[in-house]
Amino acid sequence: MPAKSPVIVDLKFIPEEVDAALEGAFPGREVINLADPVHEGRDLSGIDYAVVWKSAPDLFSRAPDLKIVFSGGAGVDHVLTLPGLPDVPLVRFVDRTLTTRMSEWVVMQCLMHLRQHRAYEALARRREWRDLSQPEAADVTVGIMGMGVLGQDAARKLTVMGFKVVGWSRTKRVVEDIETYDAAGLDTFLDRSDFLVGLLPLTPETTGIFNRGLFAKLSRKGPFGAPVFINAGRGGSQVEADILSCLDDGTLAAVSLDVFEREPLSPESRFWTMPNVYVTPHVAASSDVKALFVHVEEQIARFENGLPLQHVVDKVAGY
Ligand code: NDP
Ligand code: OXD
């Protein structure tokens, strides 16, 4: 029986988490963890598989014989932009752990805005006992741009909390109890959205999509008048200068941002200190590394047993 191909692991994650997850992972195979200096300059030719997150640009020239590339996360923009991406399947990470984390983040942000968390924090700092008028979730329509794996789960969980939810995607998605729109229905969708949630992949079509023109079309009929923008898709989809000016002139009431045009966000950014802005450092749904390796093992087993791979990216569409 031929020896099993090694697996290259090249993940810019928390190193201790990768090391812990590697214990017992990929039984019977050598694992080449590129974070380990022992592999510096090693010849990676003849290796079939690589699991990557934000690899160096020379990865594919060092590993020219890959048969499958696995993204360490749900998004693949970091792989599609690497030079020399081979013409082999690119498999992204789809898993309950990641989906659940994202929905937790989205529901949390919607609730923090609904329940005026920042305003109560400010009151508490002043030791001021005062109630603010209290809209309920049913008074708010949350519009989700990107009704894929993550958007659909967030939609269902927001619905459980009582929010009205509408969804928008390139092609119309049928999701029980949720009104959905396709690309042509964008303006109607925006006009209905009091809170807007971005869960889009970064592609040429979605680059800069969250801009002043789009924000101006959002509903102003919600309980806070101006709309709220919440983005955990990719920072390249948002025009940050527009977000700032829309917050300044009241086109937007508040925002929650997990992703940024440039990461890490500069310490100089105004976003850090604005009272109506929540910032998290691209952690809305970090990959559970153990679950990632289980998913990669499953897909390798399918491949080696002649079964079709799952979660294969459409490289032309870019997601
Ligand atoms: P999916 O591929 O399952 O869904 C993508 C959705 O976006 C689909 O509904 C798709 O439409 C829609 N879409 C893509 N391009 C367009 C377009 N041009 N116009 C309208 N709709 C479009 O991806 P996931 O739900 O798994 O993940 C979404 C993104 O979330 C990832 O690509 C990644 O960037 C981001 N992410 C961020 C994380 C974080 O921690 N901040 C963690 C994980 C992911 P259609 O249904 O028609 O195909
Ligand atoms: C992902 C991410 O794409 O964490 O999974 O951003």
Side-chain angles (χ1 to χ4, degrees), residues 275-290:
N276 45 356
V277 175
Y278 287 103
V279 167
T280 53
H282 199 143
V283 291
S286 304
S287 295
D288 175 313
V289 196
K290 259 193 191 312

Side-chain angles (χ1 to χ4, degrees), residues 202 208 231 233-240 259-263:
L202 184 64
N231 192 18
R234 281 290 181 266
S237 295
Q238 69 201 18
V239 179
E240 290 173 9
V259 288
F260 296 88
E261 285 174 5
R262 277 220 186 142
E263 296 178 5

Side-chain angles (χ1 to χ4, degrees), residues 92 147-150 168 170-171 173 201 232 234 258 285 319:
R92 70 192 195 96
M147 285 295 283
V149 175
L150 301 182
W168 181 81
R170 206 156 62 113
T171 52
R173 293 284 175 153
R234 281 290 181 266
D258 183 59
Y319 65 98

Side-chain angles (χ1 to χ4, degrees), residues 2-8 29-30 32 44-51 60 63-70 86 88-89 296 300 303-304 309:
K4 289 180 173 181
S5 166
V7 178
I8 298 168
R29 286 178 204 280
E30 186 193 0
I32 302 169
L44 302 176
S45 55
I47 294 172
D48 294 350
Y49 313 115
V51 196
F60 297 130
D65 301 314
L66 294 174
K67 293 192 177 136
I68 310 176
V69 179
F70 294 94
V88 300
V296 172
I300 290 177
F303 179 71
E304 293 183 348
L309 291 167

